[in-house]
């Protein structure tokens, strides 16, 4: 076998459909796969695990174990910023799994094996966008499986996709990554989510359900930018009401200030915070993309913040996998 290359785009996480134990389904992620930025890894068969990156090494060990292969040499060519709301952990883990499988001529079976990689335990958006890109809504998990202790590693299935749409190619997602403390992950995230779920108001879930069915899904299917943006912004704010105690407001600092500033930009809609932040996003079209990016840079500068601003299309496909022929002996 030659070298296998796997490249996957980031994702934005708009929010969940339900965090209340009073409803039959828990979580139910809503999000969008982005064409860029990307994580890109390479893999070659090896005896044992070889890589210079400690996090990649952990994912490679899991991949080797679940695929039952001798080993893999993993390189990383592009990285996503970690714990900022772009889905870096899931996209990296699944890229390593896919690359390892293909390097050994095996089908990685991403959805089936994602739990063994520690992914898909709550939201299924990252797995779904890795598989096929697009705008995604997943079904969540049965509420009766929830306990105050997280399930054992891998003891879950990835939520099924209930709706997926390709978004218009002329749409652009503005993404602002302020230099700020990273969002929650690992045990800290688990503890915060347990606290939120245990006291979540079920009425908010009912309100979100109405927005999803009457506004968001029709707007995504018909490619109506303003309606789509208004719906994801409303869902983001309602999710923020659940998280307010855990993150210090509807949006965590400094995301809240940036959301407020970008809400005033006439060429942007759908302004919100991705996951635990600090990433803030909005939606515009290609004709107004430069104006939206300028407004984001001004918003950062006016608040004395450094950070990155970029524009991305919604992904129209999932991870890209390529193989090169082995070098001649």
């Amino acid at each position: 076998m030659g070298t296998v290359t796997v490249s996957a785009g980031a994702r934005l996480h708009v929010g969940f459909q339900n965090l209340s134990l009073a409803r039959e389904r828990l979580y139910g992620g809503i999000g969008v796969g982005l064409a860029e930025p990307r994580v890109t890894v390479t893999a070659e068969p090896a005896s044992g695990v070889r890589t210079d990156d400690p996090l990649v090494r952990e994912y490679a060990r899991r991949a080797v174990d679940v695929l039952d292969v001798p080993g893999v040499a993993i390189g990383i060519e592009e990285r996503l910023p970690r714990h900022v709301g772009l889905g870096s952990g899931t996209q990296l883990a699944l890229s390593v799994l896919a690359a390892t499988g293909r390097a050994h001529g095996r089908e990685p079976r991403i959805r089936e094996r994602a739990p063994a990689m520690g992914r898909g335990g709550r939201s299924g958006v990252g797995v779904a966008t890795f598989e096929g890109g697009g705008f995604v809504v997943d079904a969540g998990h049965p509420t009766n499986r929830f306990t105050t202790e997280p399930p054992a590693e891998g003891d879950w299935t990835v939520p099924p996709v209930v709706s997926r749409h390709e978004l218009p190619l002329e749409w652009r997602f503005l993404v602002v990554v302020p230099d700020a403390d990273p969002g929650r992950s690992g045990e800290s995230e688990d503890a915060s989510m347990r606290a939120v779920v245990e006291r979540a108001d079920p009425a908010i879930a009912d309100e979100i359900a109405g927005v999803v069915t009457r506004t968001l899904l029709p707007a995504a299917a018909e490619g109506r930018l303003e309606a789509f943006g208004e719906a994801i912004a409303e869902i983001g704010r309602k999710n923020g009401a659940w998280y307010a105690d855990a993150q210090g407001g509807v949006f965590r600092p400094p995301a809240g200030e940036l959301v407020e500033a970008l809400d005033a930009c006439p060429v942007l809609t759908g302004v919100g915070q991705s996951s635990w932040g600090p990433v803030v996003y909005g939606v515009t079209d290609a004709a107004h993309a430069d104006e939206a990016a300028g407004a984001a840079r001004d918003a950062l500068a006016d608040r004395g913040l450094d950070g990155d601003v970029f524009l991305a299309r919604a992904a129209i496909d999932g991870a890209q996998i390529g193989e090169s022929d082995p070098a001649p002996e």
Side-chain angles (χ1 to χ4, degrees), residues 176-204:
V176 186
V177 190
D179 286 346
D181 291 338
R184 302 184 187 199
S185 63
E187 293 182 2
S188 172
E189 181 182 18
D190 288 340
S192 295
M193 287 300 300
R194 286 197 299 273
V196 170
V197 167
E198 287 166 2
R199 59 174 179 265
D201 180 358
I204 295 176

Side-chain angles (χ1 to χ4, degrees), residues 46-67:
S47 57
V49 170
R50 299 207 311 264
T51 181
D52 294 331
D53 186 290
L55 181 60
V56 172
R57 183 177 299 110
E58 171 59 27
Y59 288 142
R61 285 173 175 163
R62 292 186 184 214
V64 164
D65 183 60
V66 72
L67 291 162

Side-chain angles (χ1 to χ4, degrees), residues 131-189:
E131 291 176 312
F135 161 72
V136 174
V137 178
D138 77 54
H141 299 270
T143 301
N144 59 14
R145 294 202 64 193
F146 177 84
T147 67
T148 54
E149 293 300 320
E153 192 76 20
D155 187 22
W156 61 77
T157 56
V158 178
V161 173
V162 294
S163 182
R164 185 199 302 272
H165 292 282
E166 287 187 15
L167 299 179
L169 292 176
E170 66 268 21
W171 288 14
R172 297 292 184 273
F173 285 85
L174 173 75
V175 181
V176 186
V177 190
D179 286 346
D181 291 338
R184 302 184 187 199
S185 63
E187 293 182 2
S188 172
E189 181 182 18

Side-chain angles (χ1 to χ4, degrees), residues 10-167:
R11 68 95 181 98
L12 297 174
H13 201 272
V14 172
F16 290 112
Q17 297 171 72
N18 173 50
L19 292 180
S20 169
L21 296 173
R23 297 294 178 263
E24 290 183 4
R25 305 289 296 192
L26 192 63
Y27 306 124
I30 301 168
V32 180
L34 300 180
E36 59 274 328
R38 306 185 71 82
V39 57
T40 302
V41 304
T42 61
E44 296 179 351
S47 57
V49 170
R50 299 207 311 264
T51 181
D52 294 331
D53 186 290
L55 181 60
V56 172
R57 183 177 299 110
E58 171 59 27
Y59 288 142
R61 285 173 175 163
R62 292 186 184 214
V64 164
D65 183 60
V66 72
L67 291 162
D68 192 23
V69 296
V72 66
I74 295 281
I76 183 159
E77 297 184 350
E78 294 180 277
R79 301 172 184 267
L80 293 172
R82 292 187 63 195
H83 306 319
V84 299
L86 293 176
S88 62
T90 295
Q91 301 313 306
L92 177 60
L94 300 184
S95 294
V96 170
L97 173 63
T100 302
R102 290 296 181 89
H104 287 276
R106 299 193 179 185
E107 183 58 44
R109 305 209 301 267
I110 294 296
R111 178 165 290 266
E112 173 188 332
R113 289 168 168 153
M117 301 296 291
R119 316 317 298 181
R122 278 187 288 268
S123 173
V125 169
V127 176
T129 59
F130 185 93
E131 291 176 312
F135 161 72
V136 174
V137 178
D138 77 54
H141 299 270
T143 301
N144 59 14
R145 294 202 64 193
F146 177 84
T147 67
T148 54
E149 293 300 320
E153 192 76 20
D155 187 22
W156 61 77
T157 56
V158 178
V161 173
V162 294
S163 182
R164 185 199 302 272
H165 292 282
E166 287 187 15
L167 299 179

